[in-house]
PDB file of all heavy atoms in Angstrom:
ATOM      1  N   TRP H 352     -16.431   2.654  56.908  1.00  0.00           N
ATOM      2  CA  TRP H 352     -16.410   1.788  58.093  1.00  0.00           C
ATOM      3  C   TRP H 352     -16.837   0.406  57.770  1.00  0.00           C
ATOM      4  O   TRP H 352     -16.948  -0.462  58.650  1.00  0.00           O
ATOM      5  CB  TRP H 352     -17.329   2.436  59.139  1.00  0.00           C
ATOM      6  CG  TRP H 352     -16.691   3.645  59.784  1.00  0.00           C
ATOM      7  CD1 TRP H 352     -15.495   4.217  59.504  1.00  0.00           C
ATOM      8  CD2 TRP H 352     -17.244   4.422  60.854  1.00  0.00           C
ATOM      9  NE1 TRP H 352     -15.241   5.304  60.269  1.00  0.00           N
ATOM     10  CE2 TRP H 352     -16.300   5.424  61.136  1.00  0.00           C
ATOM     11  CE3 TRP H 352     -18.416   4.387  61.573  1.00  0.00           C
ATOM     12  CZ2 TRP H 352     -16.529   6.422  62.102  1.00  0.00           C
ATOM     13  CZ3 TRP H 352     -18.636   5.380  62.535  1.00  0.00           C
ATOM     14  CH2 TRP H 352     -17.687   6.354  62.822  1.00  0.00           C
ATOM     15  N   ASP H 353     -17.085   0.082  56.485  1.00  0.00           N
ATOM     16  CA  ASP H 353     -17.343  -1.323  56.081  1.00  0.00           C
ATOM     17  C   ASP H 353     -15.997  -2.052  55.842  1.00  0.00           C
ATOM     18  O   ASP H 353     -15.964  -3.156  55.341  1.00  0.00           O
ATOM     19  CB  ASP H 353     -18.223  -1.429  54.896  1.00  0.00           C
ATOM     20  CG  ASP H 353     -17.638  -0.841  53.622  1.00  0.00           C
ATOM     21  OD1 ASP H 353     -16.441  -0.424  53.628  1.00  0.00           O
ATOM     22  OD2 ASP H 353     -18.398  -0.696  52.619  1.00  0.00           O
ATOM     23  N   LYS H 354     -14.897  -1.311  56.161  1.00  0.00           N
ATOM     24  CA  LYS H 354     -13.484  -1.867  56.068  1.00  0.00           C
ATOM     25  C   LYS H 354     -12.964  -1.951  54.666  1.00  0.00           C
ATOM     26  O   LYS H 354     -11.966  -2.634  54.419  1.00  0.00           O
ATOM     27  CB  LYS H 354     -13.447  -3.287  56.765  1.00  0.00           C
ATOM     28  CG  LYS H 354     -13.941  -3.310  58.202  1.00  0.00           C
ATOM     29  CD  LYS H 354     -13.891  -4.700  58.760  1.00  0.00           C
ATOM     30  CE  LYS H 354     -14.500  -4.747  60.180  1.00  0.00           C
ATOM     31  NZ  LYS H 354     -14.455  -6.109  60.785  1.00  0.00           N
ATOM     32  N   THR H 355     -13.651  -1.291  53.724  1.00  0.00           N
ATOM     33  CA  THR H 355     -13.196  -1.342  52.359  1.00  0.00           C
ATOM     34  C   THR H 355     -12.873   0.098  51.798  1.00  0.00           C
ATOM     35  O   THR H 355     -13.300   1.105  52.402  1.00  0.00           O
ATOM     36  CB  THR H 355     -14.266  -1.961  51.424  1.00  0.00           C
ATOM     37  OG1 THR H 355     -15.331  -1.014  51.266  1.00  0.00           O
ATOM     38  CG2 THR H 355     -14.704  -3.240  51.949  1.00  0.00           C
ATOM     39  N   ILE H 356     -12.145   0.067  50.686  1.00  0.00           N
ATOM     40  CA  ILE H 356     -11.860   1.265  49.930  1.00  0.00           C
ATOM     41  C   ILE H 356     -12.388   1.024  48.499  1.00  0.00           C
ATOM     42  O   ILE H 356     -12.213  -0.034  47.976  1.00  0.00           O
ATOM     43  CB  ILE H 356     -10.338   1.541  49.880  1.00  0.00           C
ATOM     44  CG1 ILE H 356      -9.783   1.770  51.309  1.00  0.00           C
ATOM     45  CG2 ILE H 356     -10.027   2.775  49.025  1.00  0.00           C
ATOM     46  CD1 ILE H 356      -8.280   1.443  51.431  1.00  0.00           C
ATOM     47  N   ARG H 357     -13.005   2.043  47.966  1.00  0.00           N
ATOM     48  CA  ARG H 357     -13.547   1.953  46.603  1.00  0.00           C
ATOM     49  C   ARG H 357     -12.997   3.059  45.715  1.00  0.00           C
ATOM     50  O   ARG H 357     -12.829   4.166  46.176  1.00  0.00           O
ATOM     51  CB  ARG H 357     -15.075   1.998  46.580  1.00  0.00           C
ATOM     52  CG  ARG H 357     -15.716   0.706  47.137  1.00  0.00           C
ATOM     53  CD  ARG H 357     -17.201   0.740  47.132  1.00  0.00           C
ATOM     54  NE  ARG H 357     -17.709  -0.606  47.512  1.00  0.00           N
ATOM     55  CZ  ARG H 357     -18.312  -1.412  46.672  1.00  0.00           C
ATOM     56  NH1 ARG H 357     -18.507  -1.077  45.445  1.00  0.00           N
ATOM     57  NH2 ARG H 357     -18.767  -2.590  47.092  1.00  0.00           N
ATOM     58  N   PHE H 358     -12.618   2.673  44.474  1.00  0.00           N
ATOM     59  CA  PHE H 358     -12.249   3.615  43.425  1.00  0.00           C
ATOM     60  C   PHE H 358     -13.422   3.797  42.522  1.00  0.00           C
ATOM     61  O   PHE H 358     -14.125   2.896  42.166  1.00  0.00           O
ATOM     62  CB  PHE H 358     -11.040   3.058  42.635  1.00  0.00           C
ATOM     63  CG  PHE H 358      -9.754   2.983  43.374  1.00  0.00           C
ATOM     64  CD1 PHE H 358      -8.847   1.960  43.095  1.00  0.00           C
ATOM     65  CD2 PHE H 358      -9.456   3.883  44.346  1.00  0.00           C
ATOM     66  CE1 PHE H 358      -7.609   1.847  43.747  1.00  0.00           C
ATOM     67  CE2 PHE H 358      -8.206   3.804  45.018  1.00  0.00           C
ATOM     68  CZ  PHE H 358      -7.322   2.759  44.714  1.00  0.00           C
ATOM     69  N   TRP H 359     -13.575   5.153  42.114  1.00  0.00           N
ATOM     70  CA  TRP H 359     -14.670   5.524  41.305  1.00  0.00           C
ATOM     71  C   TRP H 359     -14.220   6.452  40.174  1.00  0.00           C
ATOM     72  O   TRP H 359     -13.205   7.144  40.304  1.00  0.00           O
ATOM     73  CB  TRP H 359     -15.714   6.318  42.128  1.00  0.00           C
ATOM     74  CG  TRP H 359     -16.158   5.720  43.409  1.00  0.00           C
ATOM     75  CD1 TRP H 359     -15.548   5.899  44.630  1.00  0.00           C
ATOM     76  CD2 TRP H 359     -17.270   4.837  43.633  1.00  0.00           C
ATOM     77  NE1 TRP H 359     -16.216   5.185  45.593  1.00  0.00           N
ATOM     78  CE2 TRP H 359     -17.253   4.545  45.024  1.00  0.00           C
ATOM     79  CE3 TRP H 359     -18.220   4.262  42.849  1.00  0.00           C
ATOM     80  CZ2 TRP H 359     -18.208   3.738  45.637  1.00  0.00           C
ATOM     81  CZ3 TRP H 359     -19.182   3.459  43.410  1.00  0.00           C
ATOM     82  CH2 TRP H 359     -19.170   3.150  44.824  1.00  0.00           C
ATOM     83  N   ASN H 360     -15.022   6.449  39.088  1.00  0.00           N
ATOM     84  CA  ASN H 360     -14.833   7.423  38.009  1.00  0.00           C
ATOM     85  C   ASN H 360     -15.805   8.534  38.277  1.00  0.00           C
ATOM     86  O   ASN H 360     -17.012   8.320  38.162  1.00  0.00           O
ATOM     87  CB  ASN H 360     -15.069   6.778  36.694  1.00  0.00           C
ATOM     88  CG  ASN H 360     -14.895   7.747  35.498  1.00  0.00           C
ATOM     89  OD1 ASN H 360     -14.887   8.976  35.686  1.00  0.00           O
ATOM     90  ND2 ASN H 360     -14.696   7.225  34.275  1.00  0.00           N
ATOM     91  N   PRO H 361     -15.397   9.725  38.686  1.00  0.00           N
ATOM     92  CA  PRO H 361     -16.333  10.791  39.072  1.00  0.00           C
ATOM     93  C   PRO H 361     -17.151  11.323  37.869  1.00  0.00           C
ATOM     94  O   PRO H 361     -18.196  11.896  38.070  1.00  0.00           O
ATOM     95  CB  PRO H 361     -15.437  11.879  39.633  1.00  0.00           C
ATOM     96  CG  PRO H 361     -14.125  11.637  39.028  1.00  0.00           C
ATOM     97  CD  PRO H 361     -13.998  10.175  38.872  1.00  0.00           C
ATOM     98  N   LYS H 362     -16.672  11.079  36.651  1.00  0.00           N
ATOM     99  CA  LYS H 362     -17.367  11.678  35.493  1.00  0.00           C
ATOM    100  C   LYS H 362     -18.714  10.990  35.236  1.00  0.00           C
ATOM    101  O   LYS H 362     -19.696  11.629  34.916  1.00  0.00           O
ATOM    102  CB  LYS H 362     -16.501  11.558  34.231  1.00  0.00           C
ATOM    103  CG  LYS H 362     -15.225  12.397  34.317  1.00  0.00           C
ATOM    104  CD  LYS H 362     -14.439  12.289  33.038  1.00  0.00           C
ATOM    105  CE  LYS H 362     -13.251  13.188  33.072  1.00  0.00           C
ATOM    106  NZ  LYS H 362     -12.418  13.098  31.812  1.00  0.00           N
ATOM    107  N   ASP H 363     -18.742   9.660  35.496  1.00  0.00           N
ATOM    108  CA  ASP H 363     -19.984   8.931  35.250  1.00  0.00           C
ATOM    109  C   ASP H 363     -20.471   8.173  36.525  1.00  0.00           C
ATOM    110  O   ASP H 363     -21.501   7.535  36.472  1.00  0.00           O
ATOM    111  CB  ASP H 363     -19.911   7.989  34.056  1.00  0.00           C
ATOM    112  CG  ASP H 363     -18.762   6.959  34.242  1.00  0.00           C
ATOM    113  OD1 ASP H 363     -18.271   6.825  35.353  1.00  0.00           O
ATOM    114  OD2 ASP H 363     -18.406   6.307  33.220  1.00  0.00           O
ATOM    115  N   GLY H 364     -19.691   8.250  37.559  1.00  0.00           N
ATOM    116  CA  GLY H 364     -20.095   7.557  38.801  1.00  0.00           C
ATOM    117  C   GLY H 364     -19.861   6.085  38.791  1.00  0.00           C
ATOM    118  O   GLY H 364     -20.334   5.375  39.743  1.00  0.00           O
ATOM    119  N   SER H 365     -19.102   5.565  37.847  1.00  0.00           N
ATOM    120  CA  SER H 365     -18.910   4.120  37.767  1.00  0.00           C
ATOM    121  C   SER H 365     -17.920   3.654  38.795  1.00  0.00           C
ATOM    122  O   SER H 365     -16.969   4.331  39.162  1.00  0.00           O
ATOM    123  CB  SER H 365     -18.497   3.724  36.344  1.00  0.00           C
ATOM    124  OG  SER H 365     -17.267   4.379  36.017  1.00  0.00           O
ATOM    125  N   HIS H 366     -18.123   2.403  39.225  1.00  0.00           N
ATOM    126  CA  HIS H 366     -17.230   1.756  40.195  1.00  0.00           C
ATOM    127  C   HIS H 366     -16.060   1.114  39.446  1.00  0.00           C
ATOM    128  O   HIS H 366     -16.262   0.463  38.443  1.00  0.00           O
ATOM    129  CB  HIS H 366     -18.031   0.731  41.015  1.00  0.00           C
ATOM    130  CG  HIS H 366     -17.163  -0.118  41.903  1.00  0.00           C
ATOM    131  ND1 HIS H 366     -16.983  -1.454  41.697  1.00  0.00           N
ATOM    132  CD2 HIS H 366     -16.406   0.197  42.966  1.00  0.00           C
ATOM    133  CE1 HIS H 366     -16.192  -1.962  42.632  1.00  0.00           C
ATOM    134  NE2 HIS H 366     -15.860  -0.984  43.419  1.00  0.00           N
ATOM    135  N   ILE H 367     -14.812   1.362  39.927  1.00  0.00           N
ATOM    136  CA  ILE H 367     -13.655   0.805  39.278  1.00  0.00           C
ATOM    137  C   ILE H 367     -13.163  -0.394  39.978  1.00  0.00           C
ATOM    138  O   ILE H 367     -12.821  -1.481  39.367  1.00  0.00           O
ATOM    139  CB  ILE H 367     -12.559   1.882  39.201  1.00  0.00           C
ATOM    140  CG1 ILE H 367     -13.061   3.066  38.337  1.00  0.00           C
ATOM    141  CG2 ILE H 367     -11.275   1.293  38.594  1.00  0.00           C
ATOM    142  CD1 ILE H 367     -12.115   4.262  38.353  1.00  0.00           C
ATOM    143  N   ALA H 368     -12.901  -0.307  41.304  1.00  0.00           N
ATOM    144  CA  ALA H 368     -12.355  -1.427  42.058  1.00  0.00           C
ATOM    145  C   ALA H 368     -12.672  -1.286  43.525  1.00  0.00           C
ATOM    146  O   ALA H 368     -13.004  -0.191  44.052  1.00  0.00           O
ATOM    147  CB  ALA H 368     -10.821  -1.532  41.847  1.00  0.00           C
ATOM    148  N   THR H 369     -12.536  -2.390  44.265  1.00  0.00           N
ATOM    149  CA  THR H 369     -12.724  -2.406  45.746  1.00  0.00           C
ATOM    150  C   THR H 369     -11.523  -3.076  46.369  1.00  0.00           C
ATOM    151  O   THR H 369     -11.115  -4.105  45.962  1.00  0.00           O
ATOM    152  CB  THR H 369     -14.008  -3.136  46.128  1.00  0.00           C
ATOM    153  OG1 THR H 369     -15.120  -2.543  45.466  1.00  0.00           O
ATOM    154  CG2 THR H 369     -14.177  -3.114  47.676  1.00  0.00           C
ATOM    155  N   LEU H 370     -10.929  -2.403  47.367  1.00  0.00           N
ATOM    156  CA  LEU H 370      -9.797  -2.939  48.143  1.00  0.00           C
ATOM    157  C   LEU H 370     -10.283  -3.352  49.516  1.00  0.00           C
ATOM    158  O   LEU H 370     -10.997  -2.642  50.216  1.00  0.00           O
ATOM    159  CB  LEU H 370      -8.735  -1.809  48.283  1.00  0.00           C
ATOM    160  CG  LEU H 370      -8.404  -1.044  47.036  1.00  0.00           C
ATOM    161  CD1 LEU H 370      -7.343   0.037  47.336  1.00  0.00           C
ATOM    162  CD2 LEU H 370      -7.879  -1.954  45.942  1.00  0.00           C
TER     163      LEU H 370
END
Side-chain angles (χ1 to χ4, degrees):
W352 287 1
D353 64 9
K354 306 178 184 179
T355 71
I356 299 156
R357 287 179 174 252
F358 290 148
W359 313 87
N360 182 341
K362 294 183 178 179
D363 59 13
S365 59
H366 172 246
I367 298 172
T369 302
L370 312 180

